[in-house]
Amino acid sequence: QVSLVESGGGLVQAGGSLRLSCAASGRTFSIYAMGWFRQAPGKEREFVAAISSSGGGTTKYADSVKGRFTISRDNAENSVYLQMNSLKPEDTAVYYCSARPNTATMAASTYDYWGQGTQVTVSS
């Protein structure tokens, strides 16, 4: 069982930056791949970024955030981060942290654990 708690969301102007954090419970954090997804009002949840378990460190990004967002993890702190730069109004959404064993994927249905979400609002 893994419990996830996101933080770091807020209101920022277009072009600004935010860093989201996700703290995970449990002693086996390193075996989990971690993902970030987001959901805007009236839209389906969409993939943002993912990082595989500590054995590989492979990262995946949605095309819409490549070059602007960076996912990273700190296994000693049981945490995963999403550094978001050059934010755009279309990045406005609730951002969710998720976890699944080993391999990072882009499909929300493959993730077993989810946080409660943190709101990111980008003003124009």
Side-chain angles (χ1 to χ4, degrees):
Q1 187 73 17
V2 177
S3 177
L4 304 172
V5 179
E6 303 96 335
S7 61
L11 174 64
V12 64
Q13 288 188 333
S17 298
L18 281 175
R19 188 192 193 211
L20 303 184
S21 300
C22 174
S25 66
R27 300 179 181 180
T28 58
F29 174 74
S30 62
I31 73 170
Y32 287 94
M34 303 298 295
W36 286 98
F37 291 78
R38 65 188 182 187
Q39 188 166 18
K43 295 188 177 181
E44 294 186 354
R45 190 169 297 191
E46 67 173 0
F47 171 77
V48 176
I51 186 167
S52 65
S53 64
S54 62
T58 301
T59 57
K60 298 179 184 290
Y61 294 94
D63 287 343
S64 59
V65 307
K66 280 181 181 176
R68 300 189 298 124
F69 291 10
T70 302
I71 188 171
S72 61
R73 65 187 298 156
D74 184 339
N75 291 332
E77 296 293 327
N78 276 16
S79 294
V80 63
Y81 308 99
L82 186 68
Q83 178 65 44
M84 305 186 296
N85 298 329
S86 302
L87 283 161
K88 305 175 181 179
E90 51 263 44
D91 294 318
T92 296
V94 177
Y95 283 71
Y96 296 91
C97 175
S98 57
R100 70 181 303 277
N102 298 324
T103 306
T105 72
M106 300 170 67
S109 61
T110 66
Y111 285 79
D112 300 314
Y113 303 102
W114 292 86
Q116 83 289 348
T118 186
Q119 176 71 47
V120 172
T121 302
V122 184
S123 63
S124 57

